[in-house]
Amino acid sequence: VTIDREGPVPIYQQVASVLRARIEAGDIAPGRPVPSEASLMQEFEIARETARKAVRVLRDEGLVQIVQGRGAYVTGRG
Amino acid sequence: VTIDREGPVPIYQQVASVLRARIEAGDIAPGRPVPSEASLMQEFEIARETARKAVRVLRDEGLVQIVQGRGAYVTGRG
DNA sequence: TACCATTTGTCCGTATGTATG
DNA sequence: CCATACATACGGACAAATGGT
């Protein structure tokens, strides 16, 4: 999965889309955590803030629940 | 040893420089641990993340080896 | 065995400064 | 001006490893 750093779509939106697709595909089941911020930073070669923004998009969509000190856990598939 | 919180040099870099000087001067001999994160926080009045970053600089330079549950031990003098 | 203190590891929350488009 | 993005810095909480009681 690649990120387009030139195009008009913000990186964090692209990362959020990738994660959303994985959740909706069942690759990350409900109750399971999405990749940590550090993992996302590595995988997509992005800054932490960008990783956090991506996860917050999913949180605002109700797809994941963020737990301080633990991670962001899938709550459903939308 | 004082830290300049206004200047352009990041605090963690300054702390790393202080520790590096102590190591190269032999104040902290090979095999001995550098001060713990908690100690560095107290001594320099910095946040834990800043202390960790400073030690990681030395680790990346090969000056110390970090062991979880133990500390960061001087491996040499560069 | 259990418990505890110390230390590093890993999270999230927040804020500021800088730079770019 | 504003959104995006990165680096720095502080704070709080929980997890894991270590060593001792």
Side-chain angles (χ1 to χ4, degrees):
Chain A
V1 180
T2 322
I3 297 298
D4 178 12
R5 287 175 177 277
E6 315 301 320
V9 181
I11 297 174
Y12 74 90
Q13 291 280 8
Q14 297 182 50
V15 174
S17 294
V18 171
L19 296 179
R20 190 186 307 109
R22 290 180 188 169
I23 292 170
E24 292 174 346
D27 292 341
I28 310 175
R32 298 289 302 165
V34 300
S36 70
E37 297 175 353
S39 297
L40 296 176
M41 289 168 67
Q42 273 206 329
E43 177 178 356
F44 298 101
E45 293 184 316
I46 55 178
R48 188 188 169 201
E49 184 185 293
T50 309
R52 289 170 62 69
K53 265 192 178 178
V55 175
R56 269 181 257 141
V57 168
L58 303 180
R59 180 203 58 190
D60 294 345
E61 292 172 350
L63 280 179
V64 307
Q65 179 182 3
I66 300 176
V67 184
Q68 182 172 354
R70 301 299 301 271
Y73 294 84
V74 176
T75 55
R77 269 188 296 272
Chain B
V1 181
T2 322
I3 297 298
D4 178 12
R5 294 178 110 86
E6 314 301 320
V9 182
I11 296 173
Y12 75 90
Q13 291 279 9
Q14 297 182 52
V15 174
S17 294
V18 171
L19 296 179
R20 189 186 308 109
R22 290 181 188 169
I23 291 170
E24 292 174 346
D27 293 340
I28 310 176
R32 297 288 303 165
V34 301
S36 69
E37 296 172 355
S39 297
L40 295 176
M41 288 168 68
Q42 274 205 326
E43 177 177 356
F44 297 100
E45 294 183 314
I46 55 179
R48 193 190 165 196
E49 182 186 293
T50 309
R52 288 173 62 71
K53 262 194 176 176
V55 176
R56 269 182 257 140
V57 167
L58 303 180
R59 180 202 58 190
D60 294 345
E61 292 173 349
L63 280 179
V64 307
Q65 180 182 1
I66 302 176
V67 183
Q68 181 173 358
R70 299 297 302 277
Y73 293 81
V74 176
T75 55
R77 270 187 296 271

